[in-house]
Amino acid sequence: MQPLDEPLADTTGPAGKTILTVFGGIAEFERSLVLARTEEGRKAAVARGVAFGRPAKHRDDRKEPVRELVRAGRSISSTARTFDVHPATVCRCIRESRSS
């Protein structure tokens, strides 16, 4: 006898539908518990001063020299190579100075 021949595996009947409904409810309950615990853990970590996300590639003290090189006429790609960052990082640095 195969496991799928079991009467509880038959989802067309009332017993099978009830079992699936119960399992679905338990799964949904577990998922909501996991989300709640994760959120509590995040809040506790933030309260401890934990920083989330990827660390910044470019430190704040190096942003002004980047801007000065670009203002002096150096290309963005050349400036990026000098500071070992991606050209998009240089563009973000320039954009930050304009919005400040």
Side-chain angles (χ1 to χ4, degrees), residues 16-97:
K17 287 181 183 178
T18 303
I19 294 293
L20 281 181
T21 301
V22 170
F23 286 164
I26 292 170
E28 189 174 341
F29 174 69
E30 281 292 324
R31 178 69 179 144
S32 63
L33 285 179
V34 167
L35 291 174
R37 287 188 206 120
T38 302
E39 185 60 29
E40 288 174 17
R42 274 194 198 113
K43 287 179 181 176
V46 168
R48 289 191 313 266
V50 174
F52 286 93
R54 186 174 178 174
K57 173 79 174 177
H58 213 63
R59 297 188 320 258
D60 287 339
D61 62 332
R62 293 178 71 190
K63 289 184 178 180
E64 193 51 41
V66 167
R67 294 177 189 132
E68 288 175 12
L69 284 177
V70 172
R71 272 189 236 122
R74 287 264 308 269
S75 71
I76 288 177
S77 59
S78 168
T79 304
R81 280 192 302 275
T82 300
F83 287 93
D84 190 31
V85 295
H86 193 272
T89 304
V90 174
C91 291
R92 255 192 317 277
C93 186
I94 294 167
R95 202 175 325 122
E96 284 174 12
S97 71

